[in-house]
Amino acid sequence: MKKIIFLLAVVVSGNFSTFAGYGNSFVFAQVRYRGNWDPYPYVWKDILNFLLTTTSIVVYPERVVVDLSDEKIFSLPFLFLLGRNDFSGFSWKERENLRRFIDRGGMLFIDDSSGWSGSDFSRLIQKELNQLFPEAPLRVIPLDSAIFRSYYLLRTVSGRVLVKDYLLGSTISGRPAIIYSYNDLLGTWAKDRMGNYLWECLPGGEKQRFEAQKLTLNIIMYALCGTYKSDAVHQPYIQEKLKQ
Amino acid sequence: MKKVRILVFLSLLIYLLNPSRKIYEKQKPVLAIALDTSRSFELSGRLKEARNFLRKNFPRLAEEYEVKIYCFGDGVQEISFANLEKCPVFPRTAISEALRTIRRLNSDNLSAILLLSDGQENVDTSFSLEEVLKNEVGVPVNIVSFENISFRDIAIARLQYPETTFRNMPARVLMGVRINGFGPENVQVQLEKDDKVVQKKVVTAGGLKSYFEAEFVLDTSQTGNFNYAVRVLPGKGEISYQNNYQKFSLKVLREQLRVLYICGQPGYDYAFRRLVWKNNPGIDLVSFVILRNPENVTLVPDKDLSLIPFPAYDIFSKDLKRFDVLVIENFDFARFGVPRKHFENLVEWVRQGGGLLLIGGPKAFFGGGYNLTALADILPVEMVADAEQMIPGEFSVKPKNYNFPILQLSPDIKENIRIWENLPLLDTTQKLIPARDKKAEILLTHPTAVIAAKEVVVMAGSDFGRGRIVVFGSPTSFRWALGAETPQYYRVFWENVIRYLSHNEPGLVVLKDRQQVYEGQSVNFTVKPLVAISPKAKLEVSVFQPDRKLAMFKEEVARKGEEFFYQQQFLDRGRYLVKFILRDGRVIAQKETEVEVVPDYFLEEKNLETNSGLLFRLANVTQGRFYPGFPEELKLNTRQIKMRILQRRSYIPAEILFGIVVISLLGEWIYRRLYGLW
């Protein structure tokens, strides 16, 4: 059903990029590193489909895989970084590039796919980030942040497993430039070859899955709109809806 | 011999000590009468009254004192009593300088000064009158001010107004009017703007002498410099009309630039540009992003979405005039119910001073149907009719005019060129070519793309009426931030665009220490640049006479930190033009300001009242007496004059002492020769 809707959306809106480069399209750009960088190789398709169906975002139709040492990251303002258990750290060049990328306005979303808070990935990557950005340590993102209101009005943090009920973020130049999820957000999109969801969402089931998918969309929308939904013109509407 | 030596020694000692007696002579104390013969004293009738006063009291004063009469204004002239009617009338009043002069001319035997004045000093001095009286005059100053003289005059006695305010902030002018010599009657006061009456009020003022205040509210809906005046209509037989009006200026500033940003879809370009403008405290940004198209499916009820209705009608009709700049990025207006007619409102809004920025994308320009709207006639570019609107591929822009304000990313010319050459590549741009028969500035072009034998335009700007339009064809300028070694130039670029569109280019703020300038007065200017400047930057000044001939040119004025200071004296009346140009190799900013110099008799006629408060304090400081009106019996406080030493007579004349010394020494010499005592 969702595929039909997607095709209709494509036909009606023509949102696929028709130009050679990325242009101003949203690009699902994923970071490759030494370790288990790609636990969910195909989720990007469903995420892009969901964006096309639900929003006016124009997407680049293919996933772009990029190394942090590659200068190409400076044309891709939003990067996904997934990890499961192992993480052997960044090279000197990767650190340099990541620092410059964030300082110049780039945004990084890190999703821990292990499903538990004590994973090596979680520990090592957070250590790496704290060394890279000592002035902006990872802190809890409050629920009234624009991230939770950028498209859907979200009242909780979700994921495949509810390891933590919060997201972490590093605020640089007044904006959360790095967002970290413990809850394996992208795991809620993974499907088998028959199109069935691969993982059960615990403990909330399908309702939790949908909340996680909405959070994924919100994070992407936040990358493309910034704190737009914190503007004064939106507040009366948002407050009214939150009361309902 | 010993006795002779002692005698010589004593003689010398007496000679040195010179015991003597003083013979004194009693001298007649001097009374200096300082008679104010300035225009204000004469016009009000007080000078006539003062002459009558002197005629009545002079014989008695002359018995007791040696009386000297001095006329003063902004000069001093001694006259005799016989020539009392022949005092010169001075155009201005400098009481303190007159008293200093009189004191210098009469040294030890000056016992008092009798000051006949209204106390309205109007010459700039670096000292205060009280300081002069305390430290330099040193004698009691007795004062008569003839306050009770009646004359017919209606004058603006007080004017209170803001020099600057922000747009739409309330601003009021308060005028105080003093009426002398008129009975209860209606008095009309009015507010004039650019010599046209904009507001009037009628006040009933009562009594022979009265004071009332009237307030006007100023229009602050537009920004700019505005020339106002307040006027009270003259009464019949007034002695002066010069004090019936006063001019003032009001500068209305933007509180913040109001920018409305409509974006047809979420995108990195919006996110980056929004951050720049949102972080600028001088910009109040309101933005609407179309997050969902009509065909999108959200799968949740509306209450779970943060989406708000897009107020298309309000934005393009009534709300538009609240904004200074409108940005439209890749917005498919037809899908959101914006009729083409609304674009006529938009064109009129630009004509009236609005700034319009159009940013490219598949749904912008021809792709969004803008070619069928009124905008098509005013854009600085021509929209290419092609289903494929975007030229694919990465490219580096080709600046056409580095000196254009938007393209000045650095005040240094060479540095600016270097910055542009090193900016990262953009990715795709709209198919736009220069408009035919239009006066537009082509700013950036594609290096290779050509359509209909014309370079593809990436950026262009033009004026339209009082407003401006800028088009930017590429939706990927965010690369100038993300991909640049020095990402701050991305911010500078988009701030330059807003500044250009709102006519708020880097400029100078010129402050003057006085608004009303009289002949001979100096004005101190403080000039502040609105942009950061290098240590090498210099400010030059040119002063043009009322006939616009160059009166003065200075290549470099004094600088302290980020401010410049300049003083200019204006000798003659008229409207002068003072032009400041800030240079750092090339012109960075410039500003002109006008200075209107009015005749100095305006000074005297402006205020015909007595400054009794000041005169009372002055009499107190010097321990003199103060008579506000015509005294029936004049008593003066004076200083005791010491008797003059006429002569000193020594008890033993010096000649005798000298003779004693010589004879003693001679005697000793003879004695020694006779008795061989060498």
Side-chain angles (χ1 to χ4, degrees):
Chain A
M1 177 62 183
K2 284 190 180 171
K3 284 184 184 170
I4 295 168
I5 294 169
F6 163 64
L7 282 169
L8 275 172
V10 166
V11 166
V12 171
S13 68
N15 278 348
F16 268 118
S17 171
T18 55
F19 29 93
Y22 309 131
N24 196 24
S25 310
F26 170 73
V27 180
F28 193 102
Q30 188 170 347
V31 174
R32 177 172 52 206
Y33 59 89
R34 287 182 307 280
N36 189 358
W37 65 273
D38 198 15
Y40 307 116
Y42 304 107
V43 296
W44 60 271
K45 289 184 187 174
D46 285 324
I47 291 172
L48 292 182
N49 289 342
F50 190 63
L51 289 178
L52 285 171
T53 308
T54 316
T55 74
S56 59
I57 297 172
V58 170
V59 302
Y60 186 73
E62 298 291 332
R63 176 175 72 161
V64 172
V65 175
V66 66
D67 299 315
L68 283 179
S69 56
D70 191 343
E71 295 296 307
K72 202 158 91 170
I73 65 169
F74 296 110
S75 56
L76 300 163
F78 184 78
L79 299 175
F80 287 88
L81 193 152
L82 276 62
R84 183 153 278 168
N85 294 315
D86 56 335
F87 176 72
S88 56
F90 296 130
S91 68
W92 174 86
K93 180 70 180 167
E94 286 170 335
R95 284 197 199 98
E96 269 279 303
N97 271 10
L98 181 58
R99 178 83 225 198
R100 283 158 57 207
F101 174 80
I102 296 292
D103 284 345
R104 293 178 192 176
M107 201 164 145
L108 176 67
F109 172 59
I110 303 172
D111 193 25
D112 183 354
S113 309
S114 65
W116 65 293
S117 63
S119 71
D120 284 343
F121 174 79
S122 172
R123 185 173 50 83
L124 293 167
I125 192 132
Q126 287 190 34
K127 183 181 171 190
E128 187 79 44
L129 291 173
N130 286 335
Q131 282 175 355
L132 263 176
F133 305 100
E135 78 283 7
L138 288 166
R139 291 198 204 286
V140 173
I141 298 176
L143 281 174
D144 61 359
S145 161
I147 292 172
F148 300 102
R149 299 170 181 195
S150 59
Y151 192 81
Y152 292 103
L153 284 176
L154 301 177
R155 294 158 178 83
T156 57
V157 169
S158 194
R160 183 179 64 80
V161 281
L162 291 181
V163 175
K164 303 277 185 192
D165 61 356
Y166 53 79
L167 295 174
L168 293 179
S170 271
T171 302
I172 291 166
S173 303
R175 56 182 184 98
I178 301 172
I179 300 174
Y180 186 95
S181 165
Y182 284 99
N183 299 343
D184 190 19
L185 211 54
L186 267 62
T188 59
W189 297 87
K191 288 176 176 170
D192 61 26
R193 291 188 185 192
M194 299 300 291
N196 301 312
Y197 284 114
L198 207 53
W199 308 105
E200 198 182 346
C201 292
L202 300 170
E206 291 309 298
K207 190 177 172 189
Q208 184 176 312
R209 186 189 309 280
F210 189 43
E211 289 300 309
Q213 290 174 344
K214 287 195 288 185
L215 180 57
T216 310
L217 187 152
N218 268 31
I219 291 171
I220 293 169
M221 187 65 81
Y222 178 80
L224 300 175
C225 294
T227 55
Y228 167 59
K229 281 298 175 184
S230 297
D231 287 354
V233 69
H234 299 278
Q235 295 316 302
Y237 296 94
I238 289 174
Q239 295 306 323
E240 189 56 42
K241 289 183 182 183
L242 284 171
K243 282 180 200 167
Q244 294 175 13
Chain B
M1 286 298 109
K2 216 183 259 182
K3 286 175 186 168
V4 170
R5 292 271 170 92
I6 290 169
L7 183 63
V8 168
F9 176 74
L10 280 173
S11 300
L12 285 170
L13 189 62
I14 290 168
Y15 175 73
L16 285 169
L17 291 175
N18 191 24
S20 55
R21 65 189 173 101
K22 293 171 191 169
I23 298 174
Y24 291 94
E25 181 192 51
K26 195 172 177 193
Q27 45 185 344
K28 209 171 182 183
V30 171
L31 174 66
I33 297 177
L35 175 64
D36 186 344
T37 56
S38 65
R39 185 156 168 77
S40 62
F41 207 59
E42 187 218 16
L43 202 60
S44 58
R46 293 191 175 97
L47 180 57
K48 184 180 169 188
E49 200 66 12
R51 287 187 178 122
N52 291 340
F53 167 83
L54 283 176
R55 283 190 202 97
K56 181 186 167 188
N57 289 281
F58 186 84
R60 181 177 66 79
L61 291 172
E63 281 175 15
E64 200 177 335
Y65 303 98
E66 182 187 346
V67 179
K68 296 183 180 180
I69 302 176
Y70 299 91
C71 301
F72 79 91
D74 56 351
V76 176
Q77 183 176 318
E78 186 175 359
I79 58 163
S80 64
F81 179 70
N83 290 328
L84 203 56
E85 297 298 323
K86 293 180 186 170
C87 295
V89 175
F90 291 92
R92 295 165 78 171
T93 312
I95 302 172
S96 45
E97 192 56 39
L99 293 176
R100 285 168 108 193
T101 305
I102 291 169
R103 187 68 180 92
R104 269 200 311 271
L105 293 172
N106 300 275
S107 48
D108 293 333
N109 58 342
L110 180 65
S111 68
I113 294 176
L114 175 59
L115 174 65
L116 309 178
S117 173
D118 57 11
Q120 294 292 359
E121 181 161 69
N122 49 36
V123 167
D124 291 337
T125 56
S126 58
F127 45 82
S128 76
L129 186 50
E130 290 175 66
E131 278 170 23
V132 166
L133 290 178
K134 231 178 174 174
N135 302 327
E136 296 187 43
V137 175
V139 296
V141 177
N142 302 275
I143 301 173
V144 183
S145 65
F146 304 101
E147 196 174 279
N148 297 330
I149 299 299
S150 64
F151 50 87
R152 288 169 74 86
D153 186 51
I154 302 176
I156 296 175
R158 181 184 173 212
L159 187 65
Q160 197 176 302
Y161 59 90
E163 288 187 14
T164 55
T165 188
F166 291 105
R167 188 174 58 171
N168 297 323
M169 290 291 284
R172 291 179 170 77
V173 58
L174 178 70
M175 60 187 290
V177 178
R178 183 171 284 114
I179 302 176
N180 280 310
F182 290 91
E185 59 185 75
N186 291 340
V187 177
Q188 181 172 304
V189 294
Q190 57 196 39
L191 177 72
E192 296 169 9
K193 185 175 176 183
D194 296 327
D195 298 324
K196 287 183 191 149
V197 178
V198 293
Q199 290 180 51
K200 281 186 212 178
K201 279 188 182 172
V202 175
V203 177
T204 303
L208 287 175
K209 184 166 181 161
S210 65
Y211 173 85
F212 69 87
E213 289 186 344
E215 189 179 83
F216 293 103
V217 176
L218 303 173
D219 175 19
T220 57
S221 60
Q222 302 284 329
T223 57
N225 287 327
F226 302 99
N227 295 318
Y228 284 95
V230 286
R231 187 186 297 272
V232 55
L233 296 190
K236 202 173 173 185
E238 270 197 69
I239 57 171
S240 169
Y241 299 136
Q242 300 302 338
N243 50 18
N244 286 54
Y245 78 97
Q246 267 198 54
K247 293 183 181 179
F248 65 97
S249 309
L250 176 69
K251 186 168 183 169
V252 182
L253 304 169
R254 293 178 205 283
E255 63 289 47
Q256 276 180 309
L257 283 171
R258 299 214 71 208
V259 177
L260 175 60
Y261 189 170
I262 301 173
C263 185
Q265 69 189 58
Y268 301 123
D269 212 37
Y270 167 79
F272 275 71
R273 194 163 26 244
R274 180 182 182 282
L275 195 62
V276 165
W277 292 336
K278 203 72 184 165
N279 284 341
N280 187 322
I283 295 176
D284 178 15
L285 179 68
V286 175
S287 57
F288 292 95
V289 184
I290 306 301
L291 303 184
R292 181 182 76 172
N293 290 323
E295 67 277 12
N296 289 129
V297 178
T298 57
L299 306 172
V300 297
D302 186 65
K303 69 177 179 63
D304 289 339
L305 293 169
S306 65
L307 310 184
I308 66 171
F310 176 59
Y313 175 80
D314 288 345
I315 282 172
F316 284 93
S317 55
K318 61 186 178 74
D319 285 349
L320 195 55
K321 52 178 172 273
R322 287 172 39 223
F323 294 95
D324 302 299
V325 174
L326 171 63
V327 182
I328 303 178
E329 177 184 347
N330 199 30
F331 175 55
D332 190 350
F333 67 88
R335 297 186 79 191
F336 292 91
V338 179
R340 287 198 198 126
K341 194 177 180 313
H342 278 356
F343 285 91
E344 293 168 15
N345 295 339
L346 182 50
V347 167
E348 187 55 30
W349 172 80
V350 176
R351 193 200 311 275
Q352 295 300 328
L356 177 64
L357 170 64
L358 295 177
I359 298 173
K363 299 296 178 194
F365 298 98
F366 184 86
Y370 289 79
N371 55 305
L372 300 172
T373 69
L375 275 186
D377 296 329
I378 67 169
L379 293 184
V381 291
E382 199 177 298
M383 296 178 258
V384 173
D386 192 334
E388 183 52 59
Q389 274 293 294
M390 309 303 289
I391 297 173
E394 294 179 328
F395 66 96
S396 60
V397 291
K398 196 167 142 190
K400 290 299 201 182
N401 180 3
Y402 289 103
N403 290 327
F404 197 83
I406 293 177
L407 303 190
Q408 285 178 3
L409 303 183
S410 166
D412 186 274
I413 299 172
K414 285 183 185 160
E415 177 67 11
N416 193 36
I417 295 172
R418 191 195 67 77
I419 292 166
W420 277 104
E421 284 173 352
N422 286 289
L423 281 178
L425 303 177
L426 295 179
D427 180 7
T428 85
T429 191
Q430 195 99 24
K431 285 179 181 172
L432 301 168
I433 54 176
R436 273 172 290 193
D437 307 323
K438 279 208 193 115
K439 213 174 170 188
E441 185 81 39
I442 305 301
L443 300 173
L444 301 171
T445 56
H446 194 285
T448 55
V450 168
I451 296 174
K454 292 182 183 174
E455 285 181 300
V456 167
V457 174
V458 177
M459 185 177 204
S462 64
D463 289 350
F464 179 71
R466 288 168 52 196
R468 285 178 170 165
I469 305 165
V470 168
V471 302
F472 189 85
S474 176
T476 58
S477 68
F478 66 86
R479 286 168 156 233
W480 287 348
L482 194 62
E485 283 302 322
T486 46
Q488 73 269 22
Y489 296 115
Y490 173 79
R491 175 185 57 78
V492 172
F493 175 76
W494 285 112
E495 286 180 348
N496 283 354
V497 170
I498 293 295
R499 214 181 279 122
Y500 170 77
L501 286 170
S502 58
H503 296 263
N504 209 19
E505 287 94 340
L508 304 172
V509 172
V510 178
L511 304 171
K512 293 181 276 199
D513 69 337
R514 58 172 90 236
Q515 301 303 317
Q516 187 103 13
V517 184
Y518 298 94
E519 285 170 316
Q521 285 190 327
S522 295
V523 177
N524 288 307
F525 297 90
T526 302
V527 182
K528 300 182 186 187
L530 288 173
V531 285
I533 53 173
S534 74
K536 294 182 297 177
K538 293 180 189 174
L539 185 72
E540 78 179 33
V541 60
S542 307
V543 179
F544 297 88
Q545 293 170 347
D547 60 4
R548 289 299 173 259
K549 282 187 187 157
L550 182 66
M552 205 291 304
F553 172 78
K554 193 168 182 184
E555 200 178 354
E556 190 175 352
V557 307
R559 174 176 177 174
K560 192 176 176 187
E562 298 291 300
E563 294 181 345
F564 298 87
F565 302 92
Y566 177 68
Q567 186 186 74
Q568 174 67 41
Q569 188 183 25
F570 297 92
L571 294 173
D572 300 315
R573 67 194 71 171
R575 193 179 283 269
Y576 292 75
L577 183 70
V578 182
K579 189 171 175 180
F580 295 97
I581 300 178
L582 182 67
R583 293 184 193 273
D584 187 355
R586 59 175 177 83
V587 174
I588 299 171
Q590 53 189 327
K591 185 84 180 256
E592 292 177 352
T593 185
E594 285 190 333
V595 176
E596 181 156 18
V597 181
V598 298
D600 57 8
Y601 59 72
F602 279 21
L603 265 175
E604 288 288 325
E605 293 186 35
K606 192 179 156 200
N607 193 346
L608 298 174
E609 298 295 318
T610 57
N611 195 345
S612 300
L614 173 67
L615 294 174
F616 176 76
R617 283 199 312 276
L618 296 178
N620 249 8
V621 160
T622 58
Q623 292 169 347
R625 287 181 189 244
F626 172 65
Y627 295 95
F630 195 118
E632 286 300 320
E633 190 189 339
L634 179 67
K635 283 184 183 168
L636 300 175
N637 289 355
T638 59
R639 179 175 74 120
Q640 189 75 15
I641 298 299
K642 295 177 195 168
M643 283 197 289
R644 191 170 62 177
I645 296 173
L646 192 64
Q647 210 177 18
R648 277 176 89 100
R649 282 193 189 152
S650 301
Y651 290 114
I652 303 173
E655 297 83 359
I656 294 173
L657 292 169
F658 183 71
I660 292 171
V661 169
V662 168
I663 292 167
S664 302
L665 289 173
L666 191 63
E668 185 181 340
W669 182 77
I670 294 170
Y671 183 80
R672 283 182 183 278
R673 273 198 69 92
L674 280 176
Y675 290 96
L677 293 175
W678 298 107

